Structure formats: C-alpha cells, structure tokens
Amino acid sequence: MSIADLHTLTGAYAVHALPDDERIAFEHHLVDCLTCAQETAELTATAGRLGLAVSVVPPPGMRPQVLRRITVVRQEAPRESTLDRVSRTGAARRGVLSGWALAVCVAAVAALGGTAAWQHEQVTQARQQARQAEKRSSQIAAVLAAPDARTSTAKLAGGATGTVVVSASQDKAVLVVSGMNRPPHGEVYQMWFDDGGTMRAAGLLDAGRRDQAVLLSGNVDGASGMGITVEPTGGSDHPTSAPVALMSFPA
C-alpha cells in the first residue's frame, strides 16, 4: 500500500471500518503524518457527534444508497501541509541521527586525535535524543489513534488554531497547533493542565515552530482543560503571565 493510499484512509479509520492489516499500516503511518493524525482526530470527533443523532430515523433507502456510493466515490487525499513536511523531515533526521553522529565522531578522532571517551559521549547523547524523539512520536500516535479520543478546537492568539485531543484510556492529551506566532525573545510558550482553576505544568512548546503536535507532560488525571502562557526560557513552576489560550477538554 502506497503513502498516497494511506492518506485516503482517515475517514474509514475514524469509524473503525478498516480491516486489521490496513488499520495496522495506517496506525504506523499516523506516527509520521501529522496532517492525517489531525484529520483523523477531527473526523473521530465528528463521528461521535453524529452518533448523538441516532434518534432521527433515516429514510429507508439511505443505507443501500450510501453503500453503493462508497464503491465509486474515492476520498480526496489531504493536502500536504507545512506541519506534515516538517514532521516527515524530522522523522527522516531522527532515523539517520545516530549514524550521522557516529560518522562525525570518527572523523574528528582521525583528524584531531580526539579521545574515545569523547566519541562515546557524543554517540550516546545522539542515540538518547533519537530514542526520546521516537518515544514521543509513538505516544502522540497512541493518543490520536485511541478509540476514545475526543477533540476540541479553538482559535488562539494571533490567528493560530489549536486542537486538543484527549484519551481517557491513555490518560494523556495532545495539543496540535497551527500558525502559532513565535514568543518574544528569551521567552517560551508553556502549557498547563487546568485542575479546577489550579494550573499544573504540562511542558513547553517548541519556540522555533509555528506548526507542531505536542504531548502534554504528565497525566490528564481529571483536569478540565489546559492553558498556554508566555514564560521565561526553561519554563516556570507557576504561571507568571495571563494565559494566551484557554481550552476546555472535550467531555
């Protein structure tokens, strides 16, 4: 199955209509394709809302008509966004990071007479960074692909858009932002869980990226929502500024 084919499976996946082999392939695809991940989360939420309308009796001929249309109407593949390109580039870089770091270390030892200890330290750090990045991507994909994933979307400051995805079974939340302005120099965007009005630190956004998907640090643990504030580089123990965004978690 090609990447183009996988892009067309978001709708079927959202309503649990894929056979096991295609479902597994698509879940692997979600790790590196944030465009499909966001679309899947939104479609899943839409399907849930549509489920609330079951009290309306559809026309008798609707089901066979829909089934006939499914065989001839193909879902349009989502356009590749900046977020998707950044995600794919980052995934490719992570894949070669360990080997690249090792090659640089060996060259440095040969040319400059560096020590084996220095080489080992550099390679170890590179491998740790690659493992951490891979773990975060897997955790994000697990939340977005969870059967009980629920989403909420809101407009953020400066025209940005934020979508929060919460999974009760995973007890985790993911924030997908698009068009986020860079924070002021020397400051960062910090995320917070809203525990009934008490803010609990939930990690930092990457100050250099306008589009990103971030796993909130820690468990949801009954939080009712989340907020984003501007904090000094490295973050704060408690919010020191008014929130630039407040989002309620979906029920």
Side-chain angles (χ1 to χ4, degrees):
M1 182 177 296
S2 69
I3 295 298
D5 291 332
L6 289 170
H7 281 312
T8 68
L9 299 181
T10 54
Y13 183 82
V15 295
H16 308 288
L18 292 178
D20 287 343
D21 56 341
E22 292 186 4
R23 176 183 57 78
I24 292 171
F26 185 72
E27 288 177 350
H28 285 300
H29 172 68
L30 281 178
V31 175
D32 295 321
C33 183
L34 294 183
T35 296
C36 283
Q38 182 172 359
E39 183 173 292
T40 298
E42 292 171 352
L43 288 173
T44 300
T46 300
R49 289 193 293 271
L50 289 174
L52 297 177
V54 293
S55 59
V56 178
V57 180
M62 178 175 287
R63 184 175 185 277
Q65 181 182 359
V66 170
L67 292 176
R68 284 196 301 271
R69 295 284 291 171
I70 286 174
T71 64
V72 296
V73 178
R74 185 176 182 85
Q75 179 181 327
E76 182 180 354
R79 295 180 180 179
E80 183 180 52
S81 67
T82 300
L83 181 61
D84 193 17
R85 290 195 297 273
V86 171
S87 175
R88 289 192 294 102
T89 301
R93 287 176 178 171
R94 291 194 297 272
V96 301
L97 185 57
S98 297
W100 178 84
L102 179 59
V104 171
C105 291
V106 172
V109 170
L112 305 175
T115 65
W118 180 85
Q119 173 186 340
H120 176 73
E121 179 182 356
Q122 297 300 308
V123 174
T124 299
Q125 290 178 354
R127 287 175 175 167
Q128 288 176 343
Q129 291 172 357
R131 283 195 294 267
Q132 289 171 355
E134 182 177 359
K135 181 180 179 180
R136 285 194 297 270
S137 295
S138 298
Q139 290 174 326
I140 289 173
V143 173
L144 298 179
D148 64 344
R150 299 291 182 267
T151 68
S152 177
T153 300
K155 292 294 184 181
L156 308 183
T161 300
T163 298
V164 63
V165 184
V166 181
S167 167
S169 62
Q170 299 286 327
D171 201 19
K172 294 289 185 180
V174 169
L175 176 66
V176 180
V177 296
S178 178
M180 196 77 170
N181 291 330
R182 293 177 181 270
H185 180 69
E187 296 180 312
V188 295
Y189 289 120
Q190 184 165 358
M191 301 174 293
W192 307 88
F193 284 114
D194 183 358
D195 293 326
T198 300
M199 292 300 189
R200 169 167 48 99
L204 307 176
L205 291 173
D206 187 336
R209 299 175 61 185
R210 289 172 56 83
D211 304 324
Q212 55 190 297
V214 184
L215 180 75
L216 275 67
S217 300
N219 295 329
V220 174
D221 195 22
S224 60
M226 63 162 296
I228 302 174
T229 61
V230 177
E231 301 295 335
T233 298
S236 305
D237 293 333
H238 304 283
T240 63
S241 66
V244 298
L246 287 172
M247 300 178 66
S248 297
F249 285 161

